[in-house]
Amino acid sequence: MPFQLPACPDPALPERWCVFDQQSLLLLDGRLPGREAADWTLSQRRFLGIHDGHNLFMAELIGQPPPGGDWLPLRAALLSQPAELTQAIARAAQLRQFHLNHRYCGRCAAPLQTNADQVGKHCPSCGQLFYPRLSPAMMVLVYRGREVLLARSPHFSPGVYSALAGFVEPGETVEECVHRETLEEVGVRLKNLRYVCSQSWPFPHSLMLAFTAEYDGGDILPQEGEIEDARWFDIDSLPLTPPSISIASQLLRHGRAMLRGAD
Ligand SMILES: [Zn+2]
């Protein structure tokens, strides 16, 4: 669902608020608050654009949550909401981190000022510009006939396997990253790389680009310390996998349709 980024909210539209405290997001009766949030005692109010037919705002709550309000850790809050809200929450969480983490110039240590258009910050002393950071990362679903290669990292929940993933290094293309990470993590070579989809994921500021690729040789050799286990699974007999709004889940749905279609 695309964002529109006008300078001001559209008064004809309903509102959606991402209200934060520490690392938590406020849900009101299990949902993101609407216009009622504008009456609460808030700081750092910002309009973040129009998304899904709503003016999207973020702020910090001062004091106690209102009746029906609950603080949820960001990840739990994100996973509890409908998939169409993932990107709105991702935008709010990443811009909040940007404002929290860019208060002073990294070059000369002067306090930063927000740009007039509210996008990014600048240093009034040395002129350095700062914009919200995005970290491109890749995910790849490797297939071989009807099988897909899934792996577990030591920090995954028990029993969960996912497609391979890793961050793009400076100077590297995303495609090169896919080949390098796959070779490093499981010792496998790839061919027929195909782009599938992408997702913004605010932990802390990933832009995940998802691919499929065909196995082209090598025996699975899990990278010590990074990969606890990696193996081939039949596409119709998968282990536990990440939640349905994750890009890993989208990629697996795509892979299932693709591999069944190839029968
Ligand atoms: Zn400076």
Side-chain angles (χ1 to χ4, degrees), residues 10 12-13 45 66 91 93 107 121 123 152 167 170 244 253:
D10 179 343
L13 292 179
R45 292 169 184 240
R91 177 166 172 77
R107 179 180 283 182
K121 298 190 176 195
C123 175
R152 348 186 336 103
F167 284 102
S244 62
R253 286 195 293 276

Side-chain angles (χ1 to χ4, degrees), residues 105 107-110 123 125-128:
C105 177
R107 179 180 283 182
C108 79
C123 175
S125 174
C126 76
Q128 189 79 4

Side-chain angles (χ1 to χ4, degrees), residues 65-78:
D70 278 315
W71 292 117
L72 261 76
L74 181 61
R75 188 180 293 265
L78 187 81

